[in-house]
C-alpha cells in the first residue's frame, strides 16, 4: 500500500494535439493530400488479404523491402516502427541508461525531450544561434557533456532550416556518441545522409510516412542504421510493434513511387506559394519580424503578438502552431493557403 510514483513520471503530461474541429488545419505538418481512389483500392485489397488471426511479421520484411527500394538502401539496414515516435523512444531508452546525458538543440521537436524525461535520461540543450544549427557547436556540446547520444531533426521542425549534409557527416565523424538524425522532412529537400548509414558505427537516420507520404493515420516510421545497430533495434523493440494492417497499407502505398514523388512535389509547390504570399504580407505589415526560408512543408515566422494572431486565426477557423513568439504554419492546398494568407493580412 505504499507505492510512490517516481517524480520524473509525475511531471509528465500527455501529448495534447489540437482536437477541436477547424475548417483549415495547418498545425500538425501533415500532408494536405489524402490517398486517391486507385491507391485506396490497393490498400483495401492488401488489408483484405491480412491473416487477422496471425501475429504480424516481427521484422516487417516486405515493408522494409518496399521502403528500401524507394530510398535505394538495403532492407537489412532498416527497422520499422509504430511511427518514428516509437523509434525515438526506443532508441533513447535502449542506448542510454538513466542518468546518462543526451544532447538536443533548441528549438527542435519536443518529443526528444519528452521521451528522455520518461527514460530518466539527462537532457543537455544546445541553444541555436539565430535558429541555425552549427556543426562545431554540436561537436563541442556533445564533448562538454560527455553525452552518449545526440538527436536533432534535419531539416528542423520548427525552424524549417537545415544543416548541410557535409556538416552532418562531420558531426558524425567527430564525436564519440550515437548521432540520431531525424529526417522527417528531408523528402522536401536535398542533403539526406540516409545512404551513409552503412559507413558509420554511430549513425541512425529516422524517416516517417506521416509527412511527405501523407500517411500519418497508419503510424509508420523507419530507422536506418548499420547492421550492428539495426540488430540491436530489432532485439530491443517489442516484437509486433508494427501491426499487419499498417504493414499491408504501407507496402501498398510505398509501391506507388511515382505517386509519392508527385505528392512531394505538389507539397513543395504549395509551400512555395504560402511562403511567397507571406513575404508579400511582410512588406506591408511591420508586426512580421522574420520569415525563415524553408526546406520543409511549413513556414516558421517570428511575429510580434504571435499569440494574439494565433487566437484570431482560430476564430476564423484556421489552426496553426503557436510557439512562444513564433508561428509555424504548414502548407495546405491552394484554397487553404489562400484562406490563411487572407486571414493573416486582415488580422494584422
Ligand atoms: C512529425 C515528426 C515526427 C513524427 O513522426 P511519426 O512517424 O508520425 O511518429 C518525427 N520527427 C519530427 C521532427 C517530426 O516533425
Amino acid at each position: 500500500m505504499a507505492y510512490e510514483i517516481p517524480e520524473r513520471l509525475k511531471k509528465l503530461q500527455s501529448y495534447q494535439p489540437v482536437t477541436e474541429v477547424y475548417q483549415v488545419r495547418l498545425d500538425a505538418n501533415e500532408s494536405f493530400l489524402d490517398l486517391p481512389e486507385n491507391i485506396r483500392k490497393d490498400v483495401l485489397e492488401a488489408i483484405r488479404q491480412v491473416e487477422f488471426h496471425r501475429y504480424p511479421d516481427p521484422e516487417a520484411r516486405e515493408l522494409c523491402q518496399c521502403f528500401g527500394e524507394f530510398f535505394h538502401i538495403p532492407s537489412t539496414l532498416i527497422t520499422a516502427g509504430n511511427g518514428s515516435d516509437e523509434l525515438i523512444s526506443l532508441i533513447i531508452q535502449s542506448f542510454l541508461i538513466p542518468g546518462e546525458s543526451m544532447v538536443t538543440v533548441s528549438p527542435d521537436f519536443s518529443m526528444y525531450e519528452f521521451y528522455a524525461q520518461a527514460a530518466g535520461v539527462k537532457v543537455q540543450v544546445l541553444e541555436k544561434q539565430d535558429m541555425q544549427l552549427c556543426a562545431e557547436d554540436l561537436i563541442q556540446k556533445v564533448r562538454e557533456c560527455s553525452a552518449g547520444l545526440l538527436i536533432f531533426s534535419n531539416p528542423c521542425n520548427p525552424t524549417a532550416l537545415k544543416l548541410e549534409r557535409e556538416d552532418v557527416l562531420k558531426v558524425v565523424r567527430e564525436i564519440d556518441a550515437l548521432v540520431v538524425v531525424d529526417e522527417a522532412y528531408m523528402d522536401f529537400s536535398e542533403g539526406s545522409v540516409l545512404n551513409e548509414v552503412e559507413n558509420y558505427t554511430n549513425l541512425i537516420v529516422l524517416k516517417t510516412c506521416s509527412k511527405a507520404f501523407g500517411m500519418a493515420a497508419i503510424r509508420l516510421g523507419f530507422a536506418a542504421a548499420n547492421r550492428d545497430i539495426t540488430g540491436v533495434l530489432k532485439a530491443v523493440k517489442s516484437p509486433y510493434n508494427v501491426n499487419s494492417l499498417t504493414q499491408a497499407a504501407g507496402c501498398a502505398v510505398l509501391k506507388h513511387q511515382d505517386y509519392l514523388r508527385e505528392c512531394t512535389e505538389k507539397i513543395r509547390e504549395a509551400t512555395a506559394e504560402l511562403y511567397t504570399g507571406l513575404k508579400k504580407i511582410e512588406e506591408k505589415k511591420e508586426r512580421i519580424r522574420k520569415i525563415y526560408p524553408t526546406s520543409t512543408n511549413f513556414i516558421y515566422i517570428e511575429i510580434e503578438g504571435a499569440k494574439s494572431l494565433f487566437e484570431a486565426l482560430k476564430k476564423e477557423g484556421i489552426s496553426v502552431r503557436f510557439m512562444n513568439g513564433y508561428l509555424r504554419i504548414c502548407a495546405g492546398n491552394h484554397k487553404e493557403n489562400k484562406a490563411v494568407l487572407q486571414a493573416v493580412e486582415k488580422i494584422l
Side-chain angles (χ1 to χ4, degrees):
M1 272 271 300
Y3 178 72
E4 193 57 44
I5 292 173
E7 281 308 316
R8 65 166 208 284
L9 298 182
K10 279 192 199 160
K11 281 187 302 201
L12 292 177
Q13 284 184 341
S14 66
Y15 186 66
Q16 307 274 340
V18 175
T19 49
E20 299 111 332
V21 179
Y22 292 96
Q23 240 165 345
V24 179
R25 281 282 312 261
L26 305 175
D27 56 83
N29 295 346
E30 296 148 328
S31 170
F32 59 84
L33 296 162
D34 200 355
L35 288 181
E37 219 33 67
N38 64 320
I39 299 181
R40 259 170 205 269
K41 252 182 158 163
D42 288 0
V43 168
L44 289 178
E45 187 47 42
I47 288 177
R48 198 194 309 280
Q49 290 175 28
V50 165
E51 292 184 285
F52 280 88
H53 64 126
R54 300 290 181 202
Y55 281 107
D57 173 8
E59 301 223 19
R61 277 164 298 187
E62 193 188 346
L63 179 62
C64 291
Q65 194 79 37
C66 293
F67 178 87
E69 275 164 24
F70 189 91
F71 286 104
H72 307 291
I73 168 171
S75 63
T76 47
L77 305 182
I78 296 163
T79 310
N82 184 3
S84 46
D85 255 277
E86 184 203 14
L87 297 165
I88 295 166
S89 170
L90 187 69
I91 290 165
I92 293 172
Q93 263 173 49
S94 35
F95 286 88
L96 294 174
I97 53 171
E100 259 191 305
S101 288
M102 150 182 143
V103 169
T104 61
V105 298
S106 176
D108 204 339
F109 190 46
S110 59
M111 298 314 281
Y112 307 145
E113 206 163 329
F114 173 86
Y115 290 123
Q117 274 173 6
V121 163
K122 237 190 266 166
V123 180
Q124 312 274 2
V125 184
L126 172 68
E127 298 291 335
K128 289 184 205 174
Q129 310 211 330
D130 300 326
M131 297 294 161
Q132 183 58 57
L133 258 186
C134 152
E136 291 303 334
D137 292 353
L138 282 171
I139 294 165
Q140 196 190 341
K141 182 78 179 177
V142 170
R143 287 186 182 155
E144 235 172 60
C145 306
S146 306
L149 191 151
L150 163 68
I151 185 166
F152 59 95
S153 57
N154 194 44
C156 172
N157 172 11
T159 67
L161 303 174
K162 76 175 169 184
L163 186 62
E164 293 301 327
R165 178 186 152 85
E166 265 323 300
D167 289 320
V168 175
L169 293 177
K170 184 181 167 141
V171 173
V172 175
R173 279 194 290 265
E174 294 201 10
I175 63 176
D176 296 315
L178 184 57
V179 181
V180 183
V181 185
D182 182 350
E183 294 193 350
Y185 301 95
M186 194 54 96
D187 304 293
F188 303 112
S189 192
E190 273 92 54
S192 174
V193 294
L194 187 60
N195 60 0
E196 291 284 341
V197 292
E198 236 172 334
N199 305 327
Y200 296 94
T201 57
N202 63 332
L203 174 62
I204 300 180
V205 176
L206 296 178
K207 299 287 299 178
T208 177
C209 289
S210 302
K211 307 291 159 62
F213 294 174
M215 292 188 279
I218 69 170
R219 310 305 303 128
L220 182 57
F222 296 93
N226 77 358
R227 224 163 271 274
D228 293 341
I229 295 177
T230 300
V232 172
L233 285 174
K234 291 197 168 159
V236 294
K237 77 181 185 64
S238 91
Y240 306 117
N241 60 328
V242 180
N243 71 69
S244 299
L245 278 67
T246 292
Q247 291 192 32
C251 282
V253 179
L254 280 168
K255 282 179 183 153
H256 288 274
Q257 297 197 1
D258 290 343
Y259 164 76
L260 293 173
R261 285 192 197 95
E262 245 169 66
C263 286
T264 307
E265 193 45 44
K266 278 186 193 156
I267 298 169
R268 252 197 236 150
E269 284 162 15
T271 311
E273 174 187 60
L274 180 61
Y275 182 79
T276 311
L278 287 166
K279 289 300 266 187
K280 279 197 193 124
I281 298 175
E282 185 187 27
E283 286 167 17
K284 294 178 270 183
K285 307 287 179 185
E286 286 185 351
R287 270 176 65 187
I288 298 182
R289 295 212 181 103
K290 183 161 184 176
I291 299 173
Y292 287 80
T294 178
S295 298
T296 63
N297 64 335
F298 56 84
I299 320 270
Y300 191 52
I301 313 165
E302 185 181 4
I303 197 155
E304 198 186 309
K307 182 82 193 229
S308 69
L309 175 57
F310 165 71
E311 295 293 350
L313 283 170
K314 277 213 285 201
K315 288 209 182 89
E316 303 276 330
I318 300 171
S319 169
V320 301
R321 185 71 189 264
F322 164 71
M323 318 172 105
N324 269 332
Y326 295 82
L327 292 185
R328 189 194 69 193
I329 308 178
C330 175
N333 63 26
H334 180 65
K335 210 169 126 196
E336 292 167 327
N337 285 341
K338 210 166 125 190
V340 72
L341 288 167
Q342 273 174 359
V344 167
E345 180 153 15
K346 186 182 93 183
I347 296 160
L348 292 183

